[in-house]
Amino acid sequence: MSAVLKTEKPTREHILDAATRLMHVSGYRGTSLDDVLRESGVGKGNFYYYFKSKEELGYAILDRLVRGFVERTLEPSFADPSLPPLDRIHRFLDGVLETQRQRNCVGGCPMGNLASELSDVHEGFRRRLAEIFMRWGERLTEAVREAQSDGSLAPACDAGRLAQFLVASLEGAILMSKVTKEIQVMETCVCELKAHLTHYATGAPASINPGLGRARTPGFAAGTGPAQSVGGAIGRVGAEPPSEL
Amino acid sequence: MSAVLKTEKPTREHILDAATRLMHVSGYRGTSLDDVLRESGVGKGNFYYYFKSKEELGYAILDRLVRGFVERTLEPSFADPSLPPLDRIHRFLDGVLETQRQRNCVGGCPMGNLASELSDVHEGFRRRLAEIFMRWGERLTEAVREAQSDGSLAPACDAGRLAQFLVASLEGAILMSKVTKEIQVMETCVCELKAHLTHYATGAPASINPGLGRARTPGFAAGTGPAQSVGGAIGRVGAEPPSEL
DNA sequence: GGATATGTACCGACTGGTTGGTACAGGACC
DNA sequence: GGTCCTGTACCAACCAGTCGGTACATATCC
């Protein structure tokens, strides 16, 4: 023991880690306090010392989640000065895709999940989530504007609306690859979104979608069976969660 | 009373109606059996006469939901011979948008909600949902192909991938307008999707997004507050549910 | 420096209520 | 009288949240 490093890892952080992991897979309602306590090894009384309710735990998770997302995914892409503005957007899209690939399509977007689960049932969560998505959209808008003043995107295009569309489509893409458990769905969507951006490029005559993708992915072709879930991937997330979203 | 019309409305249907309504807003886990029983006025023993478990009730809801969606939204759009193929796709997109508008952005897509809530937690639901989205995508693929052979969409474009993208983006758009409670978000996305299709048109030089929308909607512009929820819209769905999705 | 007090961190039993599900008795209709 | 329905009483498991109490390090006072 001794006083070598007193702050080994504060209990509050332990709770947040466990709860974030569990709720990412099972949702807010699907995760009981007892689950969180068991997973984190913290007693009940201790939990209520740090959080006054499950609701407040949820808020704390959301706060930490969005901070991690901004720091680890959003800003590293958009604030990279070595990349041309349009490439920064591409890198962002690829980043989100890679996160889903690393997770084997398990969990989806934690913010999107909470939005789906709680928006119509808990106004406090709804408001916070709406604000999170708005901020995300605003940051993307900025990135689009940079690409416009750089000349790689047409200035006539409404940056805010395009950004809104990108956010929504990404969320949908994550959800669809979560339900099909096929990363190919997300690959297709990201590729299609890049094509959409390209179409707004200043002088581009527009390329056509199959040419942009990797290795000719299937899409909805013949009536082959769906899913064939990745062996035991359900509920298993590689040890340390790679990163948020 | 009397035998005028014996099948006034079978109990099973009553249960399904109530459960569908409740789960659309509160989700699968957020809706208890007691809620369903209270809402439908059916006793517990009676419920378990028709359904052997809550899970089976969920499956039944899903079956009815997808049937309704195909009959009331998908086919009326895609099977309309009076419309040129590309317009059929537009009409479908508009239909989904209108449904959300009528619902005041409450509920979102019931299939999308279940997918988000259960995909990583219940393999049976996940498989069924994946198949539903696949069938939906296949029907859209067909529609895209018709537009291709008609000449209004470029034949080089991969119909399956485009359809997959449309489904995912629509789901994302519904989710985002559910969380922001602003139909404008969905309007923007639908408009952007139409533009995306236009870009794949055979000879089109591509129009730019603001020109396609209605009345110049805001997007992510200044840092104005979000949401400002529609007066009392939360949880309120206009008497009879207008239609599914 | 020793007794007293205070604040932080923690524990696990307990409460009242809800959950999905069962058992079973009685009614309606043929 | 038997099959098809239906209402009610009941169950164990689980839920979020409360409670009384403990351990301990640091301050306060004499």
Side-chain angles (χ1 to χ4, degrees):
Chain A
M1 311 308 151
S2 81
V4 173
L5 201 63
K6 195 235 197 91
T7 43
E8 198 189 313
K9 191 159 196 180
T11 305
R12 202 188 125 94
E13 219 60 22
H14 260 194
I15 298 172
L16 279 173
D17 284 345
T20 304
R21 225 178 308 130
L22 291 173
M23 287 192 186
H24 190 177
V25 175
S26 303
Y28 180 79
R29 278 197 256 240
T31 304
S32 75
L33 245 23
D34 285 340
D35 290 337
V36 175
L37 269 23
R38 210 175 305 120
E39 179 90 355
S40 61
V42 170
K44 196 151 230 187
N46 201 8
F47 172 86
Y48 278 99
Y49 175 76
Y50 289 104
F51 301 94
K52 77 174 223 281
S53 65
K54 188 187 181 185
E55 187 185 9
E56 215 196 45
L57 168 67
Y59 287 154
I61 288 175
L62 216 45
D63 284 346
R64 228 182 47 151
L65 221 45
V66 66
R67 204 166 350 111
F69 174 59
V70 170
E71 286 171 12
R72 277 200 286 274
T73 307
L74 218 77
E75 284 313 318
S77 304
F78 292 147
D80 185 343
S82 74
L83 251 43
L86 186 58
D87 287 4
R88 291 177 212 159
I89 301 178
H90 283 195
R91 177 174 153 187
F92 170 69
L93 297 176
D94 289 332
V96 175
L97 168 61
E98 281 320 305
T99 303
Q100 289 312 117
R101 195 198 307 280
Q102 276 167 45
R103 287 198 168 280
N104 284 319
C105 304
V106 172
C109 168
M111 277 115 62
N113 294 346
L114 288 175
S116 170
E117 186 181 358
L118 300 174
S119 283
D120 284 323
V121 125
H122 192 301
E123 177 65 10
F125 274 104
R126 201 220 101 231
R127 224 187 323 255
R128 290 195 187 218
L129 287 160
E131 210 202 303
I132 287 170
F133 285 116
M134 195 194 59
R135 280 210 301 269
W136 178 6
E138 280 170 356
R139 188 65 189 85
L140 237 174
T141 302
E142 216 180 298
V144 169
R145 292 233 175 83
E146 285 165 23
Q148 285 178 314
S149 56
D150 163 80
S152 39
L153 283 186
C157 164
D158 184 323
R161 288 159 48 100
L162 183 53
Q164 234 171 16
F165 175 64
L166 288 173
V167 171
S169 292
L170 268 182
E171 282 297 328
I174 295 171
L175 177 58
M176 291 322 278
S177 70
K178 167 177 167 169
V179 64
T180 60
K181 291 279 170 269
E182 294 183 27
I183 192 65
Q184 168 268 318
V185 179
M186 250 216 99
E187 286 170 355
T188 296
C189 290
V190 164
C191 160
E192 212 71 24
L193 284 176
K194 286 180 185 172
H196 190 69
L197 286 171
T198 306
H199 291 137
Y200 285 144
T202 30
S207 46
I208 243 62
N209 65 354
L212 289 168
R214 65 189 68 202
R216 183 71 174 172
T217 47
F220 293 111
T224 59
Q228 65 199 53
S229 73
V230 190
I234 309 273
R236 238 344 67 226
V237 178
E240 267 290 297
S243 101
E244 266 66 41
L245 192 135
Chain B
M1 332 316 161
S2 80
V4 173
L5 202 63
K6 195 239 195 89
T7 41
E8 197 189 315
K9 193 159 197 182
T11 306
R12 201 188 126 96
E13 219 60 20
H14 259 202
I15 297 172
L16 278 174
D17 283 345
T20 304
R21 225 177 308 130
L22 291 172
M23 287 191 186
H24 191 177
V25 175
S26 302
Y28 180 79
R29 276 197 259 243
T31 304
S32 73
L33 244 22
D34 283 343
D35 291 337
V36 175
L37 267 24
R38 210 174 307 121
E39 179 90 357
S40 61
V42 170
K44 199 154 226 186
N46 202 5
F47 172 87
Y48 278 99
Y49 175 76
Y50 290 104
F51 301 94
K52 76 175 225 279
S53 65
K54 187 187 182 186
E55 187 186 8
E56 215 197 44
L57 168 66
Y59 287 154
I61 289 175
L62 217 45
D63 283 346
R64 229 183 45 152
L65 221 43
V66 66
R67 203 163 355 108
F69 174 59
V70 169
E71 286 172 12
R72 276 199 287 272
T73 307
L74 218 76
E75 285 312 319
S77 304
F78 292 148
D80 185 343
S82 73
L83 252 43
L86 185 58
D87 287 5
R88 290 177 211 159
I89 300 178
H90 284 196
R91 177 175 153 185
F92 169 69
L93 297 177
D94 289 333
V96 176
L97 167 61
E98 280 321 304
T99 303
Q100 289 313 117
R101 194 198 309 280
Q102 276 167 46
R103 287 200 167 280
N104 285 318
C105 304
V106 172
C109 168
M111 277 114 64
N113 294 346
L114 289 174
S116 171
E117 186 180 357
L118 300 174
S119 284
D120 285 324
V121 124
H122 192 300
E123 176 66 9
F125 275 103
R126 202 220 100 233
R127 225 189 319 256
R128 291 194 185 218
L129 287 160
E131 210 203 303
I132 287 170
F133 285 116
M134 194 194 60
R135 280 211 302 267
W136 179 4
E138 280 169 355
R139 189 66 189 85
L140 238 173
T141 303
E142 216 180 298
V144 169
R145 292 231 176 85
E146 284 165 24
Q148 285 178 316
S149 57
D150 164 80
S152 40
L153 283 186
C157 164
D158 184 323
R161 288 160 48 100
L162 182 54
Q164 234 171 15
F165 175 64
L166 288 173
V167 171
S169 293
L170 267 182
E171 281 297 327
I174 294 171
L175 177 59
M176 290 322 278
S177 71
K178 167 177 167 169
V179 65
T180 60
K181 290 280 170 268
E182 294 182 28
I183 193 66
Q184 167 269 317
V185 179
M186 251 216 98
E187 286 170 354
T188 296
C189 289
V190 164
C191 161
E192 212 70 25
L193 284 176
K194 286 181 185 171
H196 190 70
L197 286 171
T198 306
H199 291 137
Y200 285 144
T202 30
S207 46
I208 243 62
N209 63 354
L212 289 168
R214 64 189 67 204
R216 182 73 174 170
T217 47
F220 293 111
T224 59
Q228 64 198 52
S229 72
V230 191
I234 307 271
R236 231 358 54 228
V237 178
E240 267 291 296
S243 101
E244 265 66 42
L245 190 134

